[in-house]
Amino acid sequence: MSEPWQRDPDRPAVTERSFAALCRSSPWLWDTLRFSLHWVPGPQDRAAQPVRAWLRRPSDLRVETLHGARLYTSTSLERSRDDFYVADTPRSWLLHPALVTPVYDDDALVTRRPEAAYGDPVFGGGRWQAILDPVELVGPAPVPPYLPEQRPAALRSLTAGAFARRRVWCATVEPTVRYRPTTPGHPLAPGPTRIAVDVATGVCVHSHVLEGPYAGQGHRLVVEAVDEYQLDDLFTREAFDLTDVSRHVPWPVGGSVSPPAAQPPKRRCRRA
């Protein structure tokens, strides 16, 4: 099977360390994302409906069919957070990743992720979360070179290329016994899997399982916009009729009207 991305021999080689850092970096590379997602079924599976999504971190999501029919909306604007804080669990007090500082490498990619409230709003569960933040492939921090058995997956055949006119880094991921999917039972790499990760966002834009019972399955994600302004109306059931300030607001001006002619001042008569 031919790879869906184009290779570029002029780009420097991708190392395991840099690829792993890119897979850890998604929470700090973008705030809003618009994309279309196509699930690739196995030979005996039924194809799932492709969707288009608008995602605004940390909690807002809108999903439509490719023809514009709304399927799902989720937002914190329409629900109370009282129960969330009353629960008083350790996770309820964790900060959003954008509010904490990870350890970066020289290329501004994340080497080590701190403890934070990771997770994006999802539609349908499964591999959705791992696609948006593929940290499960490499783990939140590097493993010492003398403990290779602690790695969640081995990385092979790394290369740089392009997918859907965007730069990607590609690798064949071979999970080990230490592999732990973000969503239990729904690994992004259930076996040896060819992966492509978008360089600008850290999102996994392509996967294709090479071997095992899930061979042939995967996904294709096309990034349509990054960090564009998104109105609250996208994520609420009732429109607020707000003005999209990212667009030009026309200001019609009527035809010019001539001012009324000046009247001569009236003279007052003085009495003799």
Side-chain angles (χ1 to χ4, degrees), residues 130-195:
I131 288 172
L132 297 172
D133 184 13
V135 66
E136 70 179 50
L137 302 177
V138 296
V143 173
Y146 52 85
L147 294 175
E149 68 279 1
Q150 300 292 330
R151 297 177 183 176
L155 305 177
R156 304 279 188 265
S157 303
L158 287 88
T159 184
F163 176 76
R165 299 182 179 181
R166 295 180 62 88
R167 291 182 58 201
V168 295
W169 287 352
C170 316
T172 297
V173 178
E174 299 179 5
T176 68
V177 294
R178 294 288 182 176
Y179 184 81
R180 297 292 184 270
T182 301
T183 304
H186 297 276
L188 182 58
T193 304
R194 193 63 177 163
I195 297 292

Side-chain angles (χ1 to χ4, degrees), residues 58-209:
S59 59
D60 300 336
L61 175 66
R62 178 185 182 90
V63 181
E64 296 181 352
T65 66
L66 297 185
H67 300 291
R70 184 176 65 178
L71 299 175
Y72 177 78
T73 56
S74 173
T75 178
S76 60
L77 299 173
E78 296 180 328
R79 62 177 180 266
S80 171
R81 301 180 68 89
D82 292 345
D83 294 340
F84 177 77
Y85 289 105
V86 170
D88 196 23
T89 62
R91 180 173 174 79
S92 64
W93 299 101
L94 291 177
L95 295 175
H96 184 259
L99 300 178
V100 297
T101 303
V103 178
Y104 293 101
D105 62 12
D106 293 338
D107 297 320
L109 297 176
V110 175
T111 300
R112 184 180 298 272
R113 288 166 56 132
E115 188 176 9
Y118 296 104
D120 294 308
V122 300
F123 172 71
R127 293 167 290 165
W128 181 283
Q129 179 59 58
I131 288 172
L132 297 172
D133 184 13
V135 66
E136 70 179 50
L137 302 177
V138 296
V143 173
Y146 52 85
L147 294 175
E149 68 279 1
Q150 300 292 330
R151 297 177 183 176
L155 305 177
R156 304 279 188 265
S157 303
L158 287 88
T159 184
F163 176 76
R165 299 182 179 181
R166 295 180 62 88
R167 291 182 58 201
V168 295
W169 287 352
C170 316
T172 297
V173 178
E174 299 179 5
T176 68
V177 294
R178 294 288 182 176
Y179 184 81
R180 297 292 184 270
T182 301
T183 304
H186 297 276
L188 182 58
T193 304
R194 193 63 177 163
I195 297 292
V197 180
D198 185 73
V199 174
T201 64
V203 172
C204 180
V205 295
H206 176 87
S207 69
H208 178 75
V209 183

Side-chain angles (χ1 to χ4, degrees), residues 242-257:
L242 300 177
T243 300
D244 187 349
V245 297
S246 67
R247 298 182 179 181
H248 172 69
V249 179
W251 189 269
V253 179
S256 59
V257 180

